[in-house]
Amino acid sequence: MSRILEFFKENAEDIVKTIPAPAYSPSLEGVDSELNKFICEKLAYLRLNENSTREPFPGQVEYVIAPIVKLLEKERTGIIVGKQGTGKTTMSNSIAYILYEQNYKPKNKGFKTGMFVSGSKHMKKMKREAESLFGNSVDVYSVVSKPRKTVSWEITIEEAAKMPRVPGRISYFLISKDTGKNTYKYKAMKSGDKCPKCFHRLYSRVGKKNEVWRCSYCSEKTYQVVSGKESYPDKLKRMQKNKHDKFFDFFIIDEVHEFANRDSLQSRYYKTIVNVSYKSIVMTGTLSNGFASSIFYILYPLFSEHFREYGGFTYEKVSSFVNLFGSIKESSEAKVYENKGSKGRPKVSIQELPQISDRIISFLAPYTVWFDISDLNVDMPNFKEIQKIVPLDLGIQERFEAWKRKIMEVKSTGDMEVIDYNLFRFSSSISYRINNPTKLYTHEILARVEIDRELELSGDNEDNFIPLYEEKKIYVEFEPLSESFLSNKERELIEVCKQELSEGRRILVYGVYNNSTNLYDRLHKVLEMEGIESEITPDKLKSENIEEWLRSSSRANIVFVPQKRVATGLDLVEYHTIIFYEIDKELKTVSQAKVRPWRPVGQTKEVRVYYLAFEGLQANSLQRMAQKMRAAAVVDGEVINNNTIAAIYDYNPELTAAIRNISQRINNMETNVLKRKHSELEQYYIDCVNDCKKKLSEIKNNTITSEEVAEVAEVAEVAEVAEVAEVAEVAEVAEVAEVAEVAEVAEEVAIVTAQTIEVFPIEEIVRSINSYIDEIEAKNNQIEVAVVEDSGQQAWLF
């Protein structure tokens, strides 16, 4: 193995040269040159043509937008894997705009697009994002269960699907995954009932609760709705005439990693949205949770044909996919029967390990663009992860051991029988409970008590009685420690907070659950005893308001918040330090939450992430999380850095070192032709943006001054010309004559009035602006979209 790695290190440059030519070339020459120019010009002149307030970064155009547009010429779906803060929303909306300009606007067709948002808390933000990029050309709608009459942009899913395409307009639909939670609740008919279709008697073959789900004569579904309402996926499927009937032209799936659960309603919703759209892209910062099966469930609805062709994978055979791209641990245990000296059949258990093979890249490469913050070509603040593992206090350990002994001392008596000590719950919760040993906990034991006896009618013995039981719950209390007690972990928290505050840094402290466990109250008191001010995020704070609340200048320098509430979509650049006092079990939550302050715009200090843990259970959980991060790095196309916990617990450090070495060699190759051509495309886009800003500046400089606007407004008020001041203020002076005409004021009067107060003649302003408009339209008419012949080659994207 070491000889192979050494070979790769020494021959990195030669190996790179053997890579086949990509299907897309980010250059201004060759088969993709016209497409690249078209993309650059359309995105650069958004502000000029549509009054947009933003445009994407050059690196986003070069590395993501252009390759995905090229990919979608041949494929239905593309994948964007970009870390938090890379601007995935801007890039995906830009792709939608290019598809509209390329395929719909020239034919004067409307365009139906939208985004499947990862939570209702992001709806307002995504609406602002769409309006800021698309400008005047977009109509944004929010798909909700019950639209409010006072909010015109709220509609139902049926209205969104049936809405006709408006020529020359972009209809943009925002759908939250939260709306996919509701569905019908069904109840099966009982054995002996009549079938509602053929009226035959129903009989249960299985015998479980005598439930009958289908009639054995006509196969009719016999279950009935008892509550709930029709789910959104079922509504869309019912409305769809056939698989070729599509409701949307293009759809964006945000945070697709949240739909890795094959059986959840939200995952069904995501699959349905993809199926009713002509084209789509999925985005995520963490494509995998560290297990290969998560990738399978996310991508199979998108590339079912590719899965079957590649390895014969089907939705029911996820194990074969895991065997090839992941890792499985098998263990067997045979039960020994006492007094017989024989063993029963061994029980085999299969457990998937948090490992993903590097070969999965070959499976993802044809459809995926990996994008990192470094590709933006902007300066990023430093990012550092630090683990602090402290010994578990002897006092805590003794109290919890005594509590367990107290639980096990509960024994069965004459009239009471212990059924379940519930030790699994005890073991699974102890990792969190030791964080707050001053709280009064109770443990529940399940038992049953005999309350009566019933005569058994069957059998020869008439005195045979059957006991009747009643369920009973026994509660065993934990003896909490004193409020003045300080654990080693709490002392470490105090030291970290003091150090960070002394450097003028603001801190977010993460827990797993809300404040119902009283953890935040406890830590707030601990810091208060040291004279440190802190604040707790209210549990009742609505999701859509949490970002505004956290970013408020009135917040304390230390804020406690559950990590799941801030895991996606929030920019918290006002904070500089993250402390994981508790760590979630899900990789996606930890990976997303830890980089909330790490952004290219607004963050001025190094971002530090601390992981606090007791030795033992918590340290083991942290190690397992780090191994998941290492496995996910393979899928995300990342090079593991030394200042992360993934490097500390790397299960294959030699391979990681080799990959890091090769990556550095490639980045340092000054003669790399691909890099030179990348810079040409980037420079062309920058030139187009600067040209657009220059034209906007020229138009603005030819408008009247603020003092002249005031005089025009005064005259207009006398002449009863409404809105002249507002029109002049937004530099639309060219329309003054038209406004005056609408107000039944002669055009000559308006011109004489303007000349009287020594305002630049309106006719000349109109003539000047029209000349700029003609110049812009002439330039746009010169843009021709090259018809790229389909070579049949799969996309090879970097």
Side-chain angles (χ1 to χ4, degrees):
M1 181 66 181
S2 59
R3 292 175 60 188
I4 295 174
L5 295 177
E6 196 63 35
F7 171 81
F8 277 108
K9 292 179 184 179
E10 295 176 357
N11 300 278
E13 297 181 16
D14 294 331
I15 292 172
V16 172
K17 293 177 182 178
T18 64
I19 295 176
Y24 164 77
S25 177
S27 66
L28 296 177
E29 300 175 359
V31 68
D32 295 322
S33 61
E34 292 299 323
L35 175 63
N36 292 336
K37 290 179 181 177
F38 177 84
I39 293 171
C40 289
E41 291 170 354
K42 287 301 179 183
L43 293 177
Y45 289 100
L46 260 172
R47 291 194 178 191
L48 199 62
N49 298 335
E50 307 292 351
N51 287 333
S52 169
T53 58
R54 67 185 304 176
E55 69 276 330
F57 285 109
Q60 294 172 329
V61 176
E62 178 184 8
Y63 290 104
V64 179
I65 297 172
I68 291 292
V69 170
K70 176 67 176 179
L71 172 67
L72 292 177
E73 289 183 349
K74 296 187 296 182
E75 303 291 344
R76 286 190 62 236
T77 305
I79 306 170
I80 299 177
V81 180
K83 281 302 174 185
Q84 298 76 14
T86 53
K88 293 188 291 294
T89 303
T90 298
M91 293 187 289
S92 60
N93 286 336
S94 299
I95 293 168
Y97 182 76
I98 292 299
L99 294 177
Y100 164 68
E101 286 281 353
Q102 188 180 25
N103 304 317
Y104 294 84
K105 190 175 181 179
K107 302 175 185 178
N108 196 31
K109 287 185 177 180
F111 186 61
K112 292 179 68 175
T113 184
M115 179 177 291
F116 195 58
V117 184
S118 62
S120 57
K121 64 182 178 183
H122 305 309
M123 297 290 277
K124 291 181 180 179
K125 177 184 177 181
M126 294 306 177
K127 184 175 186 290
R128 293 194 303 267
E129 290 271 354
E131 291 173 341
S132 65
L133 185 92
F134 294 112
N136 298 333
S137 62
V138 71
D139 299 313
V140 182
Y141 301 95
S142 176
V143 177
V144 296
S145 301
K146 295 181 180 180
R148 291 171 290 179
K149 295 181 180 180
T150 56
V151 183
S152 60
W153 61 289
E154 290 184 349
I155 60 175
T156 63
I157 189 65
E158 295 97 333
E159 292 172 331
K162 294 178 181 178
M163 183 178 291
R165 293 166 175 82
V166 181
R169 300 291 296 173
I170 298 174
S171 299
Y172 194 95
F173 303 95
L174 291 170
I175 304 177
S176 170
K177 70 167 188 176
D178 296 337
T179 58
K181 295 179 180 179
N182 298 323
T183 187
Y184 286 127
K185 292 180 176 60
Y186 298 97
K187 182 179 180 181
M189 296 182 71
K190 299 295 182 181
S191 179
D193 294 342
K194 290 184 177 181
C195 172
K197 184 177 181 180
C198 67
F199 302 106
H200 280 89
R201 290 282 181 184
L202 301 175
Y203 295 99
S204 173
R205 296 180 179 179
V206 180
K208 183 180 180 181
K209 296 183 180 179
N210 293 323
E211 294 178 345
V212 184
W213 292 91
R214 285 185 180 274
C215 176
S216 58
Y217 292 93
C218 65
S219 298
E220 176 73 5
K221 296 178 180 179
T222 59
Y223 51 81
Q224 299 172 331
V225 176
V226 293
S227 64
K229 54 186 177 182
E230 188 179 19
S231 67
Y232 277 20
D234 291 338
K235 286 181 181 180
L236 291 173
K237 288 179 181 178
R238 175 174 50 80
M239 296 172 62
Q240 196 176 23
K241 299 176 182 177
N242 51 60
K243 66 178 183 179
H244 303 292
D245 186 21
K246 309 294 183 184
F247 303 135
F248 306 105
D249 301 307
F250 177 71
F251 228 86
I252 303 160
I253 310 297
D254 192 22
E255 308 294 355
V256 72
H257 61 269
E258 297 189 356
F259 310 115
N261 186 346
R262 60 172 290 181
D263 299 321
S264 71
L265 289 172
Q266 294 179 354
S267 296
R268 285 181 51 211
Y269 200 4
Y270 142 66
K271 298 169 191 174
T272 305
I273 289 293
V274 172
N275 290 333
V276 298
S277 303
Y278 285 110
K279 293 185 181 294
S280 60
I281 58 172
V282 298
M283 307 186 302
T284 180
T286 50
L287 184 59
S288 167
N289 62 3
F291 297 94
S293 59
S294 63
I295 302 176
F296 181 86
Y297 290 128
I298 290 172
L299 299 186
Y300 190 87
L302 306 174
F303 307 108
S304 55
E305 293 182 3
H306 183 49
F307 272 73
R308 288 192 292 266
E309 293 173 1
Y310 190 93
F313 306 120
T314 62
Y315 207 65
E316 292 75 22
K317 295 183 179 179
V318 63
S319 58
S320 58
F321 183 88
V322 174
N323 279 327
L324 182 60
F325 296 113
S327 180
I328 289 178
K329 177 183 177 182
E330 292 188 5
S331 59
S332 60
E333 181 182 355
K335 184 176 181 179
V336 179
Y337 293 94
E338 297 181 4
N339 303 326
K340 293 184 179 181
S342 61
K343 295 183 178 180
R345 176 179 293 181
K347 182 180 179 181
V348 180
S349 60
I350 298 177
Q351 179 184 7
E352 184 181 2
L353 300 178
Q355 295 182 17
I356 299 178
S357 171
D358 296 5
R359 70 170 70 96
I360 203 169
I361 298 300
S362 63
F363 185 83
L364 298 174
Y367 308 98
T368 308
V369 170
W370 286 271
F371 189 70
D372 192 70
I373 290 181
S374 60
D375 296 320
L376 288 174
N377 295 326
V378 296
D379 293 331
M380 285 294 298
N382 292 332
F383 183 83
K384 188 177 182 180
E385 291 182 305
I386 306 165
Q387 66 169 358
K388 299 280 189 178
I389 299 178
V390 297
L392 178 62
D393 301 76
L394 184 60
I396 298 177
Q397 185 175 348
E398 290 176 347
R399 284 294 172 92
F400 278 90
E401 288 178 352
W403 188 27
K404 185 176 181 179
R405 287 195 301 270
K406 191 176 179 181
I407 293 171
M408 299 305 298
E409 286 173 357
V410 177
K411 301 294 184 181
S412 299
T413 60
D415 60 343
M416 184 193 72
E417 179 185 359
V418 176
I419 301 174
D420 187 3
Y421 283 99
N422 221 344
L423 292 181
F424 176 78
R425 182 184 177 188
F426 178 87
S427 301
S428 60
S429 63
I430 194 171
S431 179
Y432 298 105
R433 287 176 169 176
I434 57 178
N435 288 325
N436 185 10
T438 61
K439 178 179 169 60
L440 177 63
Y441 300 108
T442 57
H443 183 76
E444 182 181 291
I445 299 175
L446 186 62
R448 64 180 184 179
V449 180
E450 183 179 334
I451 57 173
D452 198 358
R453 287 178 174 266
E454 183 180 78
L455 179 64
E456 185 179 15
L457 299 179
S458 62
D460 298 332
N461 187 3
E462 296 183 357
D463 295 329
N464 188 16
F465 288 89
I466 300 174
L468 299 179
Y469 294 100
E470 181 180 63
E471 189 177 278
K472 181 180 180 180
K473 294 179 181 179
I474 303 172
Y475 298 96
V476 182
E477 293 186 347
F478 168 76
E479 186 178 349
L481 293 169
S482 170
E483 290 285 342
S484 60
F485 174 82
L486 276 182
S487 68
N488 291 332
K489 194 173 180 181
E490 291 169 343
R491 296 178 194 275
E492 193 65 45
L493 174 67
I494 294 171
E495 291 301 317
V496 172
C497 289
K498 286 183 176 180
Q499 176 62 36
E500 297 298 304
L501 291 175
S502 67
E503 299 179 27
R505 302 168 61 86
R506 300 185 68 193
I507 305 168
L508 285 174
V509 181
Y510 287 160
V512 172
Y513 304 106
N514 57 26
N515 200 31
S516 60
T517 60
N518 299 120
L519 174 65
Y520 305 136
D521 288 335
R522 165 63 183 171
L523 298 180
H524 175 73
K525 291 179 181 178
V526 167
L527 294 179
E528 192 175 40
M529 287 189 292
E530 296 292 325
I532 302 174
E533 183 183 357
S534 62
E535 199 166 356
I536 301 171
T537 304
D539 290 342
K540 295 182 179 180
L541 182 66
K542 292 184 177 180
S543 298
E544 54 265 30
N545 299 328
I546 191 167
E547 182 175 18
E548 181 182 355
W549 187 87
L550 287 171
R551 300 187 68 172
S552 172
S553 58
S554 61
R555 297 279 77 78
N557 288 328
I558 301 177
V559 179
F560 297 97
V561 61
Q563 50 205 271
K564 282 192 175 182
R565 297 200 71 182
V566 296
T568 56
L570 304 185
D571 298 331
L572 303 177
V573 294
E574 290 80 9
Y575 299 87
H576 317 101
T577 300
I578 300 292
I579 299 177
F580 281 90
Y581 199 83
E582 294 180 324
I583 189 166
D584 197 271
K585 294 180 180 179
E586 294 187 6
L587 171 65
K588 62 184 181 182
T589 302
V590 177
S591 297
Q592 298 265 357
K594 72 179 183 180
V595 292
R596 287 302 110 201
W598 197 45
R599 291 292 183 269
V601 179
Q603 184 56 264
T604 58
K605 299 182 179 181
E606 177 187 61
V607 175
R608 299 172 191 163
V609 180
Y610 290 89
Y611 299 91
L612 305 187
F614 284 120
E615 292 176 352
L617 291 174
Q618 293 186 355
N620 293 339
S621 298
L622 179 59
Q623 178 179 351
R624 187 173 179 83
M625 180 58 63
Q627 290 174 345
K628 290 180 182 180
M629 292 178 180
R630 164 62 177 86
V634 175
V635 182
D636 298 342
E638 290 183 1
V639 177
I640 299 174
N641 296 321
N642 289 323
N643 56 351
T644 61
I645 61 169
I648 299 174
Y649 298 104
D650 192 356
Y651 52 79
N652 199 341
E654 287 188 356
L655 181 59
T656 300
I659 294 173
R660 188 184 297 118
N661 186 284
I662 294 172
S663 175
Q664 291 173 353
R665 282 174 177 261
I666 294 174
N667 290 333
N668 294 333
M669 291 167 61
E670 296 179 354
T671 59
N672 191 321
V673 176
L674 193 61
K675 276 196 170 184
R676 178 174 57 80
K677 291 188 175 180
H678 280 190
S679 63
E680 291 175 1
L681 178 65
E682 186 173 336
Q683 189 58 50
Y684 181 76
Y685 175 72
I686 293 172
D687 293 340
C688 290
V689 172
N690 291 335
D691 182 58
C692 172
K693 292 179 179 179
K694 181 181 178 182
K695 292 185 183 302
L696 288 171
S697 179
E698 289 175 351
I699 294 175
K700 184 177 181 180
N701 290 336
N702 281 286
T703 59
I704 60 177
T705 64
S706 58
E707 295 178 357
E708 293 166 340
V709 168
E711 294 178 324
V712 171
E714 184 178 351
V715 175
E717 185 178 0
V718 175
E720 297 180 356
V721 183
E723 307 299 329
V724 170
E726 180 181 349
V727 173
E729 185 178 354
V730 296
E732 294 179 0
V733 186
E735 304 296 329
V736 170
E738 182 178 347
V739 174
E741 184 178 358
V742 173
E744 299 182 357
V745 179
E747 181 178 353
E748 292 80 10
V749 175
I751 295 174
V752 169
T753 303
Q755 291 174 340
T756 303
I757 60 175
E758 299 181 352
V759 178
F760 196 70
I762 293 176
E763 288 182 345
E764 199 163 329
I765 294 175
V766 174
R767 195 181 306 110
S768 175
I769 293 178
N770 284 336
S771 67
Y772 287 117
I773 294 174
D774 293 339
E775 180 183 348
I776 294 166
E777 290 180 348
K779 186 174 182 65
N780 287 338
N781 290 334
Q782 295 174 1
I783 300 173
E784 297 180 356
V785 180
V787 180
V788 182
E789 295 183 355
D790 188 356
S791 62
Q793 183 180 6
Q794 282 190 322
W796 193 295
L797 306 179
F798 296 93

